[in-house]
């Protein structure tokens, strides 16, 4: 089956908007605004990731501005489609992975990262694979310097559980 993540999120937004108004047009544009918000969220996480990996502030701003002002970005963000949620989740996952390296309190970040990867797994499969590889390598490398091999393996298994559960639900 086709991934359900974006469509479930869009259904929630449409339900909320429809509970306020009976206008089909308002419901549709509420979902479009949600997609624009997701793009803004993705751009924010891209900026924060650039800062986490040591890119200077003004260069980070310039990179995000170049991405945000690219004509295709505004076109895609205004459409109701899974790419908007995929971008936000991919950017959030990369931010959380770089934040994991910098943080002394890694458990909440690891849980958040696992949930984001799980949501990405049921939104766009190819984005999930493309993002999971560098995230797993980052977590494994950071964990190796901080903890034992057993703790690293435990972290990686915990990272995979939400994706496995959600992908199993996808098949049912």
């Amino acid at each position: 089956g086709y991934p359900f993540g974006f469509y479930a999120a869009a259904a929630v937004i449409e339900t909320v908007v429809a509970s306020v108004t009976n206008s089909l047009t308002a419901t549709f544009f509420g979902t479009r605004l949600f997609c624009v918000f997701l793009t803004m969220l993705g751009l924010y996480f891209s900026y924060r990731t650039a800062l986490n990996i040591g890119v200077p502030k003004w260069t980070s701003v310039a990179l995000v501005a170049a991405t945000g002002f690219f004509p295709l970005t505004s076109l895609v963000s205004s459409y109701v489609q899974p790419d908007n949620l995929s971008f936000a989740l991919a950017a959030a996952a990369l931010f959380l992975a770089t934040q994991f390296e910098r943080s002394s309190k890694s458990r909440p970040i690891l849980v958040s990262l696992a949930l984001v990867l799980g949501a990405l797994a049921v939104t766009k499969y190819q984005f999930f694979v493309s993002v999971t590889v560098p995230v797993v390598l980052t977590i494994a490398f950071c964990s190796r310097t901080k903890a034992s091999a057993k703790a690293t393996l435990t972290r990686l298994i915990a990272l995979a559980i939400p994706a496995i559960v959600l992908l199993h639900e996808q098949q049912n």
Side-chain angles (χ1 to χ4, degrees):
Y2 199 76
F4 66 86
F6 172 75
Y7 301 104
V12 169
I13 295 300
E14 288 173 358
T15 303
V16 168
V17 173
S19 70
V20 175
T21 180
N22 289 331
S23 170
L24 183 60
T25 304
T27 303
F28 173 72
F29 282 106
T31 308
R32 282 184 76 174
L33 272 169
F34 172 64
C35 289
V36 171
F37 172 75
L38 289 172
T39 301
M40 291 179 355
L41 200 61
L43 291 171
Y44 169 76
F45 281 125
S46 297
Y47 171 74
R48 293 293 309 273
T49 301
L51 292 179
N52 278 354
I53 62 173
V55 176
K57 284 184 181 183
W58 285 108
T59 306
S60 300
V61 168
L63 290 170
V64 170
T67 304
F69 287 120
F70 188 68
L72 192 59
T73 302
S74 61
L75 178 72
V76 170
S77 74
S78 66
Y79 278 50
V80 177
Q81 62 181 356
D83 293 332
N84 297 306
L85 181 58
S86 300
F87 173 54
L89 291 172
L94 295 173
F95 165 71
L96 289 167
T98 58
Q99 194 67 27
F100 178 83
E101 178 185 18
R102 307 177 83 209
S103 177
S104 60
K105 297 181 180 181
S106 59
R107 184 168 288 147
I109 294 171
L110 195 64
V111 169
S112 300
L113 184 55
L115 294 173
V116 165
L117 286 176
L120 188 57
V122 293
T123 301
K124 284 272 193 168
Y125 301 135
Q126 66 272 33
F127 281 48
F128 171 70
V129 172
S130 298
V131 170
T132 300
V133 171
V135 164
V136 165
L137 291 174
T138 301
I139 300 301
F141 179 75
C142 293
S143 296
R144 193 182 61 158
T145 58
K146 294 180 182 178
S148 67
K150 183 179 177 183
T152 300
L153 185 60
T154 304
R155 286 180 179 147
L156 293 177
I157 290 170
L159 201 61
I161 289 173
I164 292 168
V165 169
L166 287 169
L167 286 170
H168 183 265
E169 278 302 310
Q170 174 79 31
Q171 299 305 316
N172 292 336

